[in-house]
Amino acid sequence: MEATEVKMRQNEIIQPLLTDLYQLTMAYAYWKSGKVDDTAVFDLFFRKNPFSGEFTIFAGLEQCIKFLFNFRYSDSDITYLKQILPPYVEEEFFRYLKNLTVEDVTLFAIPEGSVVFPRVPLLRVEGPLIVVQLLETTFLNLINYSSLIATNAARFRMAAGKRIKLLEFGLRRAQGPDGGLSASKYAYLGGFDGTSNVLAGKLFHIPVKGTHAHAYISSFSTLADLKTRDLAVYDENGSDLIESRDFVETCIKRRDQLATLLGILLQEANDGELAAFISYAMAFPDGFTALVDTYEVLRSGLLNFCAVAVALSDFGYRPIGIRLDSGDLAYLSNRARDAFRKIAEELTIPWFAQLSIVASNDINEETILSLNDQHHQIDCFGIGTHLVTCQKQPALGCVYKLVEINKQPKIKLSEDLEKVTIPGRKDIYRLYGSDGHALIDLMQKHGEPPPLAGNRVLCRHPFLESKRAYVNPARVEPLLHIYWQNGRCCQPLPSMEQLRHRVQHQLGTIRQDHKRNLNPTPYKVSVSDSLYSYLHKLWLQNAPIGELS
Amino acid sequence: MEATEVKMRQNEIIQPLLTDLYQLTMAYAYWKSGKVDDTAVFDLFFRKNPFSGEFTIFAGLEQCIKFLFNFRYSDSDITYLKQILPPYVEEEFFRYLKNLTVEDVTLFAIPEGSVVFPRVPLLRVEGPLIVVQLLETTFLNLINYSSLIATNAARFRMAAGKRIKLLEFGLRRAQGPDGGLSASKYAYLGGFDGTSNVLAGKLFHIPVKGTHAHAYISSFSTLADLKTRDLAVYDENGSDLIESRDFVETCIKRRDQLATLLGILLQEANDGELAAFISYAMAFPDGFTALVDTYEVLRSGLLNFCAVAVALSDFGYRPIGIRLDSGDLAYLSNRARDAFRKIAEELTIPWFAQLSIVASNDINEETILSLNDQHHQIDCFGIGTHLVTCQKQPALGCVYKLVEINKQPKIKLSEDLEKVTIPGRKDIYRLYGSDGHALIDLMQKHGEPPPLAGNRVLCRHPFLESKRAYVNPARVEPLLHIYWQNGRCCQPLPSMEQLRHRVQHQLGTIRQDHKRNLNPTPYKVSVSDSLYSYLHKLWLQNAPIGELS
């Protein structure tokens, strides 16, 4: 049990009061109206995929479960609520709140890391009306941004392709400290390879990456700023120390030689930059990456880098590469690659041609697609603002809607078809074709016999009568699983690595045309014939007949 | 001291590891290069005002100071860093980190809640190079979003005018739990009147507001769902309980009467909605606000609300008003106001005309300006997504640039003029005209005699030679103040209320044309003649002479 408690720990600000006040005023009004024993079912879903896309990655479920695990109003919460609620709110209600637990809540959910679509409930939350209502805001908060970032990351991954490394560099521009942490976590889940955020690395076991900033380069003015000059020389296997030698001298000699080779004027290369590179290489001889645009990439940074990188090779080390943080990234990456290849050939250092080129200047999905068209030579993108703030669309609009109360279905009507809810407890299935791709999601009334592989099933558009199709699935997957019941989490929570793999595997089951950047095809979400009739019967019962005069 | 520690507590995720890895790799490289005793000055500033505007509200300073107060690498931090840094990083460096403090850091800052402009340092951070470098990412994270939200909130306030109440309702759509908390806090600082976020209310002493959701209405189907019917009747002063009477009956009678008065068909009004309103009013007889758009505002919600509101009046209570969450808000608010006025007159309940109308459907700054043009009758806006995620521009681009090292000025050049930094330690002054409005901000080299009221001073554009002006200030205000020195906070930290007032007062000192929504005039930020020469001398020294061939 103690081990569980440790595992279920989360940021202390995720607590029952992290909610809208109206959840608590409603709780009192429900309580006061004698609705303590009423039961309800809520669906949590979104209505539109983000980023003009046609898919979403579902994330944040584990946080919701931890929230349930830790759900308890503290004495100080109760004291505070007494202060802000009107004085006539009954003492008995506060006792009720103090003793309130989520033991009777049952949570069904689609597994975290799944590809999901509009209108399909990601969560189905059942239990005492008051309690399940109280979970709304926190659940929405925990799922909206997590899913948004995971989806954004997955889109960047698709744009960049599998070969390219993607690093999240957004902490400084994130929406608050936790905006940064959540971004690092869910970007990794969505397909990134690492983050610059050290705390995210520590908390979530994500690979952490980083080199240096422009300030590091600027902090050196001349070669005289170098206070140590010697670096250990290793043998060819990198295992045995042979001697210590003057590394600075080697770098300077190599720069003279490479200036001629690369056709760069020696006097234009900045000596402060060279000093900074040398000092950084001496600190991290096996991990040398240099930011090459502080002065001029082609007239200074590239030459200085190559000089130090070749010198490292002379000393038995293997540098990593360069980072470009400004300018025409496709052009510069090609010029850098040319230089690396020339050196590889002329100095017979074959791996020099494969040195890594990282690019990191305000990159978004479209930049990557455009760089692809320009045949860039970039191996790794560092992505900040556009990833973490989801600049293209900074919020996902998940909602939490009542679909059943005391076993009676509820429908929420709206003039806007998209906003009409699909009533009642529902089971959800994903039907797959024989090529392994998902064909359609199907919602059924709870208790209808599930669709069977090899059997034709009628799938209907929830609102448009004429839109329907027979589907003959090769495989049927029930999407909702029970995650919380009787006060316990009833599924093993997957590790971050498992979630990462799930996302990529799930994306593989979705047809390419649903995933493409430009004008993707909408994936179909349908209802069974029986749910269709039920929905429309309720709709007519609830919609008043208009009267024009 | 203990009281200070309590006061200086903050969210546990704000800690030294909430940073980019490269700050730590740079720290090691600086340390390894013998730069432990080097000193540096960094400026934190932004280059462009957000939201196509011409001003920014500076916020997040208190968090930076708390971060300094609590700055210490823990044993577990050091253990983690040993895992992720290469094995050859020296043990002595980790001892250095473990003992590292911010005692020698001096922090100058513009007071929180000030109106600020591009290029002017919000913070000037001085001290040991390694230590001040290590503060970069966390400072940027704490200031970027806080300032962005405060600015956004101030813009909403200006759009809405002083009379209108503004409530922040964004928790569910915020970028993570802390995105929601920070939004609530800094929206209040920027000019909002309250939040729906209960935890923000508890932590930051912000007024918390809220009523009920559509689910509350939907959870009632008929009047039979009401399990209690009696409500206490108070005398006219509201102090003495006279008796308990059937409240439901009064509501039904009042609805019959008002349907005729307002010309609404009784059979179209939804009984479940009436039941929900009645139950809510019985729970909060002094705080009755009703969400009136679950079914149809004009055919159901408005009538049901008025019935319950008049009944409350019959029982000696005073209801608050309605909330509109969809539809044509200007039109609906006017129709509702008409109904309130008619009832006020016909039933002689004068205050009924002034019942509050809250609107809350995906509102942004432009919606408010457009509603103003349509002469809406709204008293209060509830604002979510657009406020908390700053949809119009979800990140502020503050940067942290090295301007001096070991007393030597540093300039960062760039092909892009906007990105050239202004070197050296600088003092900043705001010059005011005789009408009390700010005329210009002036940056000087540290130690230049400050400009004096009544004395003409030459103010120059930092980059464009021909742009200069003599300014004769009626008042001169130094902008940077010392906030942290010798390991201590050396200013009293203002309360939230003081910060709120400061923002509004500061906005009052800025000319209207800098603040308007459409094509605002840029506010001038200048350098002294001496700083101009210094900057340009350094620029020429550092810029290589190009060679075209």
Coordinates of all heavy atoms in Angstrom, one line a residue, chain A residues 200-252:
Chain A
A200 N 11.9 17.8 -15.6 CA 11.0 16.8 -16.3 C 11.8 15.5 -16.5 O 11.2 14.4 -16.3 CB 10.6 17.3 -17.7
G201 N 13.1 15.6 -16.8 CA 13.9 14.4 -16.9 C 13.9 13.7 -15.5 O 13.8 12.4 -15.5
K202 N 14.1 14.4 -14.5 CA 14.2 13.8 -13.1 C 12.8 13.1 -12.7 O 12.8 12.0 -12.3 CB 14.6 14.8 -12.1 CG 14.8 14.3 -10.7 CD 15.2 15.4 -9.7 CE 15.4 14.8 -8.3 NZ 15.4 15.8 -7.3
L203 N 11.8 13.9 -13.0 CA 10.4 13.4 -12.5 C 9.9 12.3 -13.4 O 9.2 11.3 -12.9 CB 9.4 14.5 -12.5 CG 9.7 15.6 -11.4 CD1 8.6 16.7 -11.6 CD2 9.7 15.0 -10.0
F204 N 10.1 12.4 -14.7 CA 9.4 11.5 -15.6 C 10.4 10.5 -16.4 O 9.9 9.8 -17.3 CB 8.6 12.3 -16.6 CG 7.7 13.3 -16.0 CD1 7.8 14.6 -16.4 CD2 6.8 13.0 -15.0 CE1 7.0 15.6 -15.9 CE2 6.0 14.0 -14.4 CZ 6.1 15.3 -14.8
H205 N 11.7 10.5 -16.0 CA 12.6 9.6 -16.6 C 12.7 9.8 -18.2 O 12.6 8.9 -18.9 CB 12.3 8.2 -16.3 CG 12.1 8.0 -14.8 ND1 13.1 8.2 -13.9 CD2 10.9 7.8 -14.1 CE1 12.6 8.0 -12.7 NE2 11.3 7.8 -12.8
I206 N 12.8 11.1 -18.6 CA 12.9 11.4 -20.0 C 14.3 11.8 -20.3 O 15.0 12.5 -19.5 CB 12.0 12.7 -20.3 CG1 10.5 12.4 -19.9 CG2 12.1 13.1 -21.7 CD1 9.6 13.6 -20.0
P207 N 14.9 11.4 -21.4 CA 16.2 11.8 -21.7 C 16.3 13.4 -21.8 O 15.5 14.0 -22.3 CB 16.5 11.2 -23.1 CG 15.5 10.1 -23.3 CD 14.3 10.5 -22.4
V208 N 17.4 13.9 -21.2 CA 17.6 15.3 -21.1 C 18.8 15.7 -22.0 O 19.8 15.1 -22.0 CB 17.9 15.8 -19.7 CG1 17.7 17.3 -19.6 CG2 16.9 15.1 -18.7
K209 N 18.6 16.8 -22.8 CA 19.6 17.2 -23.8 C 19.9 18.7 -23.7 O 19.1 19.4 -23.3 CB 19.2 16.9 -25.2 CG 18.8 15.4 -25.4 CD 20.0 14.5 -25.6 CE 19.5 13.1 -25.7 NZ 20.7 12.2 -25.7
G210 N 21.1 19.0 -24.1 CA 21.5 20.5 -24.1 C 22.9 20.7 -24.2 O 23.7 19.8 -23.9
T211 N 23.3 21.9 -24.7 CA 24.7 22.2 -24.9 C 25.1 23.5 -24.2 O 25.3 23.6 -23.0 CB 25.1 22.2 -26.4 OG1 24.2 23.2 -27.0 CG2 25.0 20.9 -27.0
H212 N 25.0 24.6 -25.0 CA 25.3 25.9 -24.5 C 24.5 27.0 -25.2 O 23.9 26.7 -26.3 CB 26.8 26.2 -24.5 CG 27.4 26.0 -25.8 ND1 28.4 25.1 -26.1 CD2 27.2 26.7 -27.0 CE1 28.8 25.2 -27.3 NE2 28.1 26.1 -27.9
A213 N 24.5 28.2 -24.6 CA 23.8 29.3 -25.2 C 24.7 30.3 -25.8 O 25.9 30.2 -25.6 CB 22.9 30.0 -24.1
H214 N 24.2 31.3 -26.5 CA 25.0 32.4 -27.0 C 25.9 33.0 -25.9 O 27.0 33.5 -26.1 CB 24.2 33.4 -27.7 CG 23.5 32.9 -29.0 ND1 22.2 32.8 -29.1 CD2 24.1 32.5 -30.1 CE1 21.9 32.3 -30.3 NE2 23.0 32.1 -31.0
A215 N 25.3 33.1 -24.7 CA 26.0 33.8 -23.6 C 27.3 33.1 -23.3 O 28.3 33.8 -23.0 CB 25.2 33.8 -22.4
Y216 N 27.3 31.8 -23.5 CA 28.6 31.1 -23.2 C 29.7 31.5 -24.2 O 30.8 31.8 -23.8 CB 28.4 29.6 -23.3 CG 29.6 28.8 -22.9 CD1 29.8 28.5 -21.6 CD2 30.6 28.4 -23.8 CE1 31.0 27.9 -21.1 CE2 31.7 27.7 -23.4 CZ 31.9 27.5 -22.1 OH 33.1 26.9 -21.7
I217 N 29.3 31.7 -25.5 CA 30.2 32.1 -26.5 C 30.7 33.5 -26.2 O 31.9 33.9 -26.2 CB 29.6 32.0 -27.9 CG1 28.9 30.7 -28.1 CG2 30.6 32.4 -29.0 CD1 29.8 29.5 -28.1
S218 N 29.7 34.4 -25.9 CA 30.0 35.8 -25.6 C 30.9 36.0 -24.4 O 31.6 37.0 -24.3 CB 28.8 36.6 -25.4 OG 27.8 36.4 -26.5
S219 N 30.9 35.0 -23.5 CA 31.7 35.2 -22.3 C 33.2 35.1 -22.5 O 34.0 35.3 -21.6 CB 31.2 34.3 -21.2 OG 31.7 33.0 -21.4
F220 N 33.6 34.7 -23.7 CA 35.0 34.6 -24.1 C 35.3 35.7 -25.1 O 34.6 35.8 -26.1 CB 35.3 33.2 -24.6 CG 35.3 32.1 -23.6 CD1 34.1 31.5 -23.3 CD2 36.4 31.6 -23.0 CE1 34.0 30.5 -22.3 CE2 36.4 30.6 -22.1 CZ 35.2 30.0 -21.7
S221 N 36.4 36.4 -24.9 CA 36.7 37.4 -25.9 C 37.9 37.1 -26.8 O 37.9 37.4 -28.0 CB 37.0 38.7 -25.2 OG 35.9 39.2 -24.5
T222 N 38.9 36.4 -26.2 CA 40.1 36.1 -26.9 C 40.6 34.7 -26.5 O 40.2 34.2 -25.5 CB 41.3 37.1 -26.7 OG1 41.7 37.0 -25.3 CG2 40.8 38.5 -26.9
L223 N 41.6 34.2 -27.2 CA 42.2 33.0 -26.8 C 42.9 33.1 -25.4 O 43.1 32.1 -24.7 CB 43.2 32.5 -27.8 CG 42.5 32.0 -29.1 CD1 43.5 31.9 -30.3 CD2 41.8 30.7 -28.9
A224 N 43.3 34.3 -25.0 CA 43.9 34.5 -23.7 C 43.0 34.2 -22.6 O 43.4 34.0 -21.4 CB 44.4 36.0 -23.6
D225 N 41.7 34.1 -22.9 CA 40.7 33.8 -21.8 C 40.8 32.3 -21.4 O 40.2 31.9 -20.4 CB 39.3 34.1 -22.3 CG 39.0 35.6 -22.4 OD1 39.7 36.3 -21.7 OD2 38.0 35.9 -23.1
L226 N 41.5 31.5 -22.2 CA 41.6 30.1 -21.8 C 42.7 29.9 -20.8 O 43.9 30.2 -21.0 CB 42.0 29.3 -23.1 CG 40.9 29.3 -24.1 CD1 41.4 28.7 -25.5 CD2 39.7 28.4 -23.7
K227 N 42.3 29.4 -19.6 CA 43.2 29.3 -18.5 C 43.9 28.0 -18.4 O 44.9 27.8 -17.8 CB 42.5 29.7 -17.2 CG 42.3 31.2 -17.1 CD 41.3 31.6 -16.0 CE 40.8 33.0 -16.3 NZ 39.6 33.3 -15.6
T228 N 43.3 27.0 -19.0 CA 44.0 25.7 -19.1 C 44.1 25.3 -20.6 O 43.2 25.7 -21.4 CB 43.2 24.5 -18.4 OG1 41.8 24.6 -18.9 CG2 43.2 24.7 -16.9
R229 N 45.1 24.6 -21.0 CA 45.4 24.3 -22.4 C 45.5 22.8 -22.6 O 45.4 22.4 -23.8 CB 46.7 25.0 -22.8 CG 46.7 26.6 -22.6 CD 48.0 27.2 -23.1 NE 48.3 27.0 -24.5 CZ 48.0 27.9 -25.5 NH1 47.4 29.0 -25.2 NH2 48.3 27.6 -26.7
D230 N 45.8 22.1 -21.6 CA 46.1 20.6 -21.8 C 44.8 19.8 -21.8 O 43.9 20.0 -21.0 CB 47.1 20.1 -20.7 CG 48.5 20.6 -21.1 OD1 48.6 21.3 -22.1 OD2 49.4 20.3 -20.3
L231 N 44.8 18.8 -22.6 CA 43.7 17.8 -22.7 C 44.4 16.4 -22.8 O 45.4 16.2 -23.5 CB 42.8 18.1 -23.9 CG 41.6 17.2 -24.0 CD1 40.6 17.4 -22.9 CD2 40.9 17.5 -25.4
A232 N 43.7 15.5 -22.1 CA 44.3 14.1 -22.1 C 44.1 13.5 -23.5 O 43.1 13.7 -24.2 CB 43.5 13.3 -21.1
V233 N 45.1 12.8 -23.9 CA 45.0 12.1 -25.2 C 44.8 10.6 -25.0 O 45.4 10.0 -24.1 CB 46.4 12.2 -26.0 CG1 46.3 11.6 -27.4 CG2 46.8 13.6 -26.1
Y234 N 43.8 10.1 -25.7 CA 43.5 8.6 -25.5 C 44.0 7.8 -26.7 O 44.2 8.4 -27.8 CB 42.0 8.4 -25.3 CG 41.6 8.7 -23.9 CD1 41.3 10.0 -23.5 CD2 41.5 7.7 -22.9 CE1 41.0 10.3 -22.2 CE2 41.2 8.0 -21.6 CZ 40.9 9.3 -21.2 OH 40.6 9.6 -20.0
D235 N 44.1 6.6 -26.5 CA 44.5 5.7 -27.7 C 43.3 5.6 -28.6 O 42.2 6.1 -28.3 CB 45.1 4.4 -27.2 CG 44.0 3.5 -26.6 OD1 42.8 4.0 -26.6 OD2 44.3 2.4 -26.2
E236 N 43.6 4.8 -29.7 CA 42.5 4.7 -30.7 C 41.2 4.1 -30.2 O 40.2 4.5 -30.7 CB 43.1 3.9 -31.9 CG 43.8 4.8 -32.9 CD 44.4 4.0 -34.0 OE1 44.0 2.9 -34.3 OE2 45.4 4.5 -34.6
N237 N 41.3 3.3 -29.2 CA 40.1 2.7 -28.7 C 39.4 3.6 -27.7 O 38.3 3.3 -27.2 CB 40.4 1.3 -28.0 CG 41.1 0.4 -28.9 OD1 40.8 0.3 -30.1 ND2 42.1 -0.3 -28.4
G238 N 40.0 4.7 -27.4 CA 39.4 5.6 -26.4 C 39.5 5.1 -25.0 O 38.9 5.6 -24.1
S239 N 40.2 4.0 -24.7 CA 40.2 3.5 -23.4 C 41.5 3.8 -22.6 O 41.4 4.1 -21.4 CB 40.0 2.0 -23.4 OG 41.0 1.4 -24.3
D240 N 42.6 3.9 -23.2 CA 43.9 4.1 -22.5 C 44.4 5.6 -22.6 O 44.6 6.1 -23.7 CB 45.0 3.1 -22.9 CG 44.6 1.7 -22.4 OD1 44.1 1.6 -21.3 OD2 44.9 0.8 -23.2
L241 N 44.6 6.2 -21.5 CA 45.2 7.5 -21.5 C 46.7 7.4 -21.9 O 47.4 6.6 -21.3 CB 45.1 8.1 -20.1 CG 45.7 9.5 -19.9 CD1 45.0 10.6 -20.6 CD2 45.8 9.8 -18.4
I242 N 47.1 8.2 -22.9 CA 48.5 8.1 -23.3 C 49.3 9.3 -22.7 O 50.3 9.1 -22.0 CB 48.6 8.2 -24.9 CG1 47.8 7.0 -25.5 CG2 50.0 8.3 -25.3 CD1 47.7 7.1 -27.0
E243 N 48.8 10.5 -22.8 CA 49.5 11.6 -22.2 C 48.5 12.8 -22.2 O 47.4 12.8 -22.7 CB 50.7 12.0 -23.1 CG 50.2 12.2 -24.6 CD 51.3 12.8 -25.5 OE1 52.3 13.4 -24.9 OE2 51.2 12.6 -26.7
S244 N 49.0 14.0 -21.7 CA 48.2 15.2 -21.8 C 49.0 16.2 -22.7 O 50.2 16.3 -22.6 CB 48.0 15.9 -20.4 OG 46.8 15.4 -19.8
R245 N 48.3 16.8 -23.6 CA 49.0 17.7 -24.6 C 48.2 19.0 -24.7 O 47.1 19.1 -24.4 CB 49.0 17.0 -25.9 CG 50.3 16.3 -26.2 CD 50.6 16.1 -27.7 NE 49.5 16.1 -28.6 CZ 49.1 15.0 -29.3 NH1 49.6 13.8 -29.1 NH2 48.1 15.1 -30.1
D246 N 48.9 20.0 -25.3 CA 48.3 21.3 -25.5 C 47.2 21.2 -26.6 O 47.5 21.1 -27.8 CB 49.4 22.3 -26.0 CG 48.9 23.7 -26.0 OD1 47.7 23.9 -26.3 OD2 49.7 24.6 -25.8
F247 N 46.0 21.3 -26.1 CA 44.9 21.2 -27.1 C 44.7 22.5 -27.9 O 44.3 22.4 -29.0 CB 43.6 20.8 -26.2 CG 42.4 20.6 -27.1 CD1 42.3 19.6 -28.0 CD2 41.3 21.4 -26.9 CE1 41.2 19.3 -28.7 CE2 40.1 21.2 -27.7 CZ 40.1 20.2 -28.6
V248 N 44.9 23.6 -27.2 CA 44.7 24.9 -27.8 C 45.5 25.0 -29.1 O 45.0 25.4 -30.2 CB 45.0 26.1 -26.8 CG1 44.7 27.4 -27.5 CG2 44.1 25.9 -25.6
E249 N 46.8 24.7 -28.9 CA 47.7 24.8 -30.1 C 47.2 24.0 -31.3 O 47.2 24.4 -32.4 CB 49.1 24.3 -29.6 CG 50.2 24.7 -30.5 CD 51.5 24.0 -30.0 OE1 51.9 24.1 -28.8 OE2 52.1 23.3 -30.9
T250 N 46.8 22.7 -30.9 CA 46.2 21.9 -32.0 C 45.0 22.5 -32.7 O 44.9 22.5 -33.9 CB 45.8 20.5 -31.4 OG1 46.9 20.0 -30.7 CG2 45.5 19.5 -32.6
C251 N 44.2 23.1 -31.9 CA 43.0 23.7 -32.5 C 43.4 24.9 -33.4 O 42.8 25.0 -34.5 CB 42.1 24.3 -31.4 SG 41.3 23.0 -30.4
I252 N 44.3 25.7 -33.0 CA 44.8 26.8 -33.8 C 45.4 26.3 -35.1 O 45.1 26.8 -36.2 CB 45.7 27.7 -33.0 CG1 45.0 28.3 -31.8 CG2 46.4 28.8 -33.9 CD1 45.9 29.0 -30.8

